[in-house]
């Protein structure tokens, strides 16, 4: 009898899997991804009119203001077609290149993807990179042209681009306007008809992929997962593969607008698990959940430890706020596991933290959240990337900070991270964009005409060259018509030197930077000139010098504020004047020895605005 019951349960779970569709939405920033998600929720009656707000899945104020998705989300919808009830799991993905690992894990949890392209802008760089990622995972792609009701829309041209890119039939491309609820029903039908149901064995050992996690101040870390094989029950003892930690599943359930607890979830389902975990480092995106008693043989492929690529020092404006800043970073890390930090000190700025970020947008968001959520006023030093220093004894050292560079006598060579940059632009801007990339030490790898007036340029270039102002310059050169995307392409040996800025002979460590030897002289000269404008005059001369090792390559002087001590001398012997001047000179010398140069906060940000 028990065998019959097991078989009937198996057939029920498999039949239930046929009614599940797991999908994500791939789109460039501002192509209408969040608005389309709102319409899907509205048309499937997942939200009532009372709960309906714009960008309902973007629950951070920052996301709504900037119109970007920072944190990925998941939500379950119920859709009835021909009297059959289907479960649609939308696994939303962040759009920005900084969060590409999260995107890859969200894509791995799906069987299909909606490729959303703006009818006014056409295919952009980010869309292409995420589309290739989806194709690598064998996802069913449903192309959708959005914003067809705009005056400047050109859906026929965009259709040509999509056909060239993925080789589909024109009849497979759907048209919609998410803002005005046009064509949404056709998209829902295509999701059911074209995206395959998940595969998996509900009776096999548990194998579930963690694609996201959030922190709840009352319940700890909540992990979102997709089950590939097996079944999980409430109160099961589970373990995480990467961290080897074991937990009890205090609560499991599905993700609707609110979390809905369930007693069991089987293969094909998307859900959440609460186990009272309080430390974000214990839950890693891409990890595999399995049972302690009957574990699966191997984890789901694709897991990697997220490595920060951009580093910057974060210091409190007031030294008294150091502990408060530490507490703020600890709380922020609970919500953002990709943020890493460690204490450091600077002679110029005092005690602070060296923080690692996924990219420049990630750094900007962390700064903004520190200000908004924790009311912390901070100074952020010049961002730099992580280098690998090879020593003469064969040791390899990761250098996140110029002050951590080993001595020149022990150094064999330095490797820096390189990227493959993909830029899509109109052909009239190709010349100026090429010049910008070549000036940034870029090497052209490929040039492809997507249409008669749209070009894709592929460059190999150092990551350190795009950290400062590359994106802003690219947008201004192309009048906003260029889209930019990149991925890391390993490390290469480079001729790098440590450029120090000295004030009256003392090195200001917060202004030190690692830079290519060919650019060092021009950069040092600009830095000295900029600091001369920003440092106020003192009662003694302030010498601003740029140096590489013991060699001074540039110098500027901020002249002292002087009082005319000889004004009271009228006539008489010149020796009286000289005596007064010598007395003043001795006083100035003593003042210079005991006085310190005041460096304003704006000087530390000057390096970002040299041009």
């Amino acid at each position: 009898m028990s065998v019959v019951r097991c078989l009937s349960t198996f057939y029920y779970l498999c039949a239930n899997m046929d009614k599940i569709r797991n999908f994500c939405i791939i789109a460039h920033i501002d192509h209408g991804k969040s608005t389309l998600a709102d319409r899907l929720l509205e048309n499937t009656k997942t939200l009532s009119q009372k709960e309906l707000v714009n960008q309902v899945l973007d629950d951070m104020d920052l996301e709504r203001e900037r119109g970007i998705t920072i944190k990925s989300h998941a939500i379950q919808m119920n859709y009835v077609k021909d009297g059959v009830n289907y479960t649609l799991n939308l696994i939303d993905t962040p759009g920005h290149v900084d969060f590409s690992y999260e995107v890859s894990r969200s894509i791995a949890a799906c069987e299909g993807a909606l490729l959303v392209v703006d009818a006014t802008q056409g295919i952009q760089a980010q869309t292409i990179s995420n589309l290739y990622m989806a194709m690598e995972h064998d996802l069913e792609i449903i192309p959708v042209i959005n914003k067809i009701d705009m005056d400047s829309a050109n859906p026929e041209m965009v259709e040509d681009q999509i056909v060239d890119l993925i080789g589909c039939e024109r009849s497979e491309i759907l048209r919609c306007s998410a803002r005005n609820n046009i064509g949404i029903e056709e998209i829902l039908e295509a999701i059911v008809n074209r995206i395959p149901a998940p595969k998996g064995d509900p009776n096999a050992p548990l194998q579930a992929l963690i694609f996201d996690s959030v922190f709840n101040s009352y319940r700890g870390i909540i992990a979102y997962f997709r089950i590939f094989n097996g079944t999980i029950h409430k109160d099961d003892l589970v373990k995480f593969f990467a961290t080897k930690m074991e937990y009890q599943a205090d609560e499991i359930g599905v993700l609707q607008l609110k979390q809905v607890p369930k007693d069991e979830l089987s293969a094909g389902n998307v859900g959440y698990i609460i186990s009272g975990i309080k430390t974000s480092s214990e839950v890693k995106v891409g990890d595999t959940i399995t049972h302690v008693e009957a574990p699966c043989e191997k984890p789901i492929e694709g897991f990697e430890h997220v490595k920060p690529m951009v580093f910057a020092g974060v210091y409190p404006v007031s030294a008294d706020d150091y502990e408060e800043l530490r507490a703020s970073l600890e709380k922020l890390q609970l919500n953002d596991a990709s943020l890493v930090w460690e204490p450091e000190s600077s002679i110029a700025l005092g005690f602070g933290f060296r923080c690692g970020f996924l990219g420049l947008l990630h750094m900007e968001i962390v700064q903004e959240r520190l200000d908004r959520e924790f009311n912390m006023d901070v100074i952020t030093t010049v961002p730099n990337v992580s280098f690998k220093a090879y020593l003469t004894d064969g040791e390899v050292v990761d250098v996140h900070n110029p002050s951590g560079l080993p001595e020149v006598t022990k150094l064999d060579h330095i490797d820096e991270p390189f990227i493959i940059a993909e830029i899509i632009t109109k052909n009239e801007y190709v010349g100026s964009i090429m010049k910008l990339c070549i000036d940034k030490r870029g090497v052209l790898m490929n040039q492809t005409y997507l249409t008669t007036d749209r070009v894709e340029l592929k460059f190999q270039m150092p990551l350190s060259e795009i950290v400062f102002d590359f994106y802003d310059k690219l947008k201004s050169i192309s009048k906003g018509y260029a889209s930019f995307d990149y991925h890391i392409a390993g490390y290469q040996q480079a001729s790098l030197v440590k450029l120090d800025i000295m004030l009256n002979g003392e090195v200001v460590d917060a202004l030190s930077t690692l830079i290519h030897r060919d650019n060092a002289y021009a950069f040092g000269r600009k830095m000295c000139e900029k600091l001369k404008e920003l440092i106020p005059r003192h009662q003694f001369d302030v010498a601003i010098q740029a140096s590489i090792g013991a060699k001074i390559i540039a110098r500027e002087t901020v002249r002292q504020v002087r009082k005319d001590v000889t004004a009271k001398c009228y006539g008489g012997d010149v020796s009286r004047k000289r005596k007064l001047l010598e007395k003043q000179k001795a006083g100035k010398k003593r003042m210079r020895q005991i006085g310190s140069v005041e460096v304003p906060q704006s000087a530390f940000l000057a390096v970002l605005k040299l041009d």
Side-chain angles (χ1 to χ4, degrees):
M1 184 66 188
S2 60
V3 175
V4 174
R5 188 180 294 121
C6 281
L7 280 171
S8 64
T9 306
F10 174 75
Y11 287 129
Y12 168 74
L13 291 172
C14 287
N16 198 31
M17 274 172 66
D18 289 340
K19 307 293 183 290
I20 297 173
R21 300 290 184 270
N22 299 323
F23 70 100
C24 60
I25 303 175
I26 294 170
H28 192 77
I29 291 170
D30 201 31
H31 278 210
K33 179 159 67 89
S34 297
T35 312
L36 178 58
D38 290 351
R39 295 293 85 75
L40 294 175
L41 294 172
E42 187 182 346
N43 284 37
T44 53
K45 308 286 192 294
T46 305
L47 295 179
S48 64
Q49 285 297 322
K50 186 179 174 184
E51 293 168 317
L52 202 63
V53 291
N54 286 337
Q55 292 171 254
V56 71
L57 293 183
D58 296 341
D59 51 11
M60 284 165 59
D61 289 340
L62 259 176
E63 292 180 309
R64 289 191 174 149
E65 282 172 25
R66 291 178 175 230
I68 57 173
T69 302
I70 295 164
K71 199 91 178 83
S72 62
H73 299 267
I75 193 161
Q76 190 179 92
M77 300 173 272
N78 291 315
Y79 176 64
V80 180
K81 182 179 182 290
D82 301 331
V84 180
N85 197 11
Y86 290 90
T87 300
L88 311 181
N89 289 311
L90 166 59
I91 299 170
D92 195 17
T93 57
H96 200 272
V97 62
D98 286 3
F99 310 108
S100 56
Y101 175 63
E102 277 190 42
V103 175
S104 76
R105 295 301 82 209
S106 296
I107 285 173
C110 300
E111 279 79 36
L114 298 181
L115 172 67
V116 179
V117 183
D118 189 329
T120 64
Q121 296 182 43
I123 288 171
Q124 304 287 304
Q126 230 163 286
T127 315
I128 292 176
S129 62
N130 288 349
L131 174 66
Y132 288 159
M133 209 185 288
M135 286 176 158
E136 281 170 21
H137 287 87
D138 292 327
L139 265 61
E140 178 66 37
I141 309 294
I142 300 175
V144 177
I145 298 176
N146 190 21
K147 306 188 185 180
I148 57 166
D149 57 332
M150 300 276 281
D151 294 337
S152 55
N154 190 347
E156 285 76 20
M157 182 197 74
V158 177
E159 260 186 20
D160 291 339
Q161 292 176 16
I162 293 171
V163 169
D164 288 344
L165 187 64
I166 62 175
C168 65
E169 297 293 327
R170 283 180 179 275
S171 57
E172 294 174 21
I173 302 172
L174 304 176
R175 296 186 181 190
C176 78
S177 167
R179 187 179 58 174
N180 292 325
N181 210 359
I182 300 166
I184 305 299
E185 197 62 36
E186 288 81 356
I187 293 172
L188 287 166
E189 284 189 16
I191 290 167
V192 170
N193 294 336
R194 286 154 66 173
I195 293 176
K199 295 181 177 67
D201 182 358
N203 291 335
L206 178 65
Q207 200 180 30
L209 170 75
I210 298 174
F211 62 83
D212 195 18
S213 64
V214 293
F215 179 74
N216 182 296
S217 49
Y218 299 105
R219 310 201 66 180
I221 304 285
I222 302 169
Y224 297 166
F225 61 80
R226 149 76 199 274
I227 305 174
F228 282 85
N229 287 302
T231 305
I232 185 171
H233 298 85
K234 186 177 182 292
D235 297 326
D236 277 359
L237 197 61
V238 297
K239 73 171 182 179
F240 293 1
F241 252 97
T243 56
K244 305 284 189 290
M245 306 291 278
E246 297 181 3
Y247 307 100
Q248 187 164 353
D250 298 334
E251 181 180 310
I252 59 168
V254 294
L255 296 150
Q256 292 180 358
L257 196 60
K258 296 183 173 68
Q259 289 155 356
V260 180
K262 300 279 182 186
D263 289 329
E264 72 167 32
L265 290 171
S266 61
N269 276 296
V270 174
Y272 69 90
I273 180 170
I274 300 174
S275 308
I277 306 166
K278 296 291 182 191
T279 312
S280 64
S281 58
E282 291 178 24
V283 179
K284 296 189 180 294
V285 171
D287 200 357
T288 303
I289 304 174
T290 190
H291 283 126
V292 172
E293 290 179 3
C296 57
E297 291 179 9
K298 58 179 184 178
I300 295 159
E301 292 178 0
F303 172 74
E304 59 184 65
H305 292 278
V306 180
K307 294 186 183 74
M309 292 310 299
V310 175
F311 294 83
V314 176
Y315 293 84
V317 171
S318 166
D320 298 339
D321 294 337
Y322 175 74
E323 286 302 328
E324 200 178 326
L325 178 57
R326 178 194 286 273
S328 301
L329 285 169
E330 283 172 355
K331 287 175 186 170
L332 197 55
Q333 198 175 33
L334 290 171
N335 277 310
D336 185 356
S338 50
L339 169 68
V340 296
W341 52 269
E342 58 183 26
E344 75 166 2
S345 62
S346 157
I347 297 164
L349 299 171
F351 290 101
F353 300 92
R354 166 88 4 195
C355 297
F357 308 96
L358 297 177
L360 287 177
L361 178 80
H362 187 214
M363 175 178 141
E364 213 176 304
I365 284 160
V366 167
Q367 277 178 266
E368 193 84 25
R369 288 184 71 182
L370 280 171
D371 181 33
R372 289 185 184 207
E373 296 172 27
F374 305 101
N375 203 23
M376 287 301 307
D377 197 7
V378 295
I379 298 170
T380 307
T381 63
V382 180
N384 61 279
V385 300
S386 176
F387 300 93
K388 287 188 185 296
Y390 289 79
L391 308 186
T392 48
D393 61 3
E395 191 186 347
V396 182
V397 180
D398 284 330
V399 180
H400 304 317
N401 189 347
S403 60
L405 190 71
E407 292 173 29
V408 181
T409 51
K410 296 178 182 175
L411 200 61
D412 183 49
H413 68 274
I414 304 171
D415 283 6
E416 66 173 330
F418 270 68
I419 60 163
I420 303 294
E422 293 167 0
I423 300 165
I424 294 179
T425 185
K426 291 191 170 182
N427 55 8
E428 61 202 80
Y429 306 118
V430 168
S432 49
I433 288 173
M434 276 189 175
K435 184 180 183 304
L436 171 68
C437 293
I438 290 164
D439 288 347
K440 297 282 188 182
R441 294 192 283 137
V443 177
L444 181 66
M445 296 174 68
N446 198 3
Q447 180 178 344
T448 312
Y449 274 82
L450 301 173
T451 63
T452 51
D453 67 336
R454 283 165 64 79
V455 188
E456 182 186 12
L457 301 171
K458 206 172 267 190
F459 278 89
Q460 186 182 51
M461 55 201 303
L463 179 62
S464 56
E465 294 288 350
I466 70 160
V467 161
F468 294 128
D469 55 358
F470 177 80
Y471 194 62
D472 291 342
K473 281 186 176 177
L474 179 70
K475 282 292 180 190
S476 59
I477 283 172
S478 65
K479 299 186 172 69
Y481 279 108
S483 65
F484 173 68
D485 189 50
Y486 69 88
H487 59 268
I488 303 299
Y491 284 76
Q492 290 184 23
Q493 188 173 333
S495 176
L496 299 172
V497 291
K498 183 186 173 193
L499 180 72
D500 286 319
I501 300 295
M502 298 191 295
L503 298 179
N504 280 351
E506 288 185 20
V507 174
V508 182
D509 54 356
L511 293 174
S512 297
T513 181
L514 279 171
I515 190 166
H516 195 270
R517 191 180 293 276
D518 295 347
N519 302 336
Y521 174 76
F523 189 81
R525 159 84 31 221
K526 282 183 184 175
M527 275 293 285
C528 291
E529 288 170 358
K530 191 75 177 177
L531 288 170
K532 184 183 179 182
E533 295 170 19
L534 294 168
I535 291 175
R537 291 174 72 185
H538 292 62
Q539 288 194 324
F540 50 89
D541 282 352
V542 177
I544 305 165
Q545 295 167 307
S547 70
I548 298 171
K551 184 181 179 184
I552 306 296
I553 60 168
R555 171 178 171 136
E556 294 288 338
T557 305
V558 179
R559 291 291 172 204
Q560 61 189 359
V561 180
R562 287 194 58 174
K563 179 184 175 186
D564 188 1
V565 291
T566 60
K568 57 190 175 186
C569 289
Y570 45 94
D573 191 3
V574 74
S575 60
R576 285 187 62 203
K577 271 189 179 180
R578 192 173 292 125
K579 186 179 174 183
L580 287 168
L581 288 169
E582 289 296 329
K583 188 179 175 185
Q584 186 190 39
K585 188 177 174 184
K588 293 276 186 190
K589 188 178 178 184
R590 188 172 142 270
M591 187 184 288
R592 182 175 168 176
Q593 285 168 350
I594 62 168
S596 62
V597 181
E598 289 179 12
V599 184
Q601 185 178 332
S602 55
F604 297 105
L605 304 173
V607 71
L608 293 171
K609 301 184 179 70
L610 282 182
D611 295 319

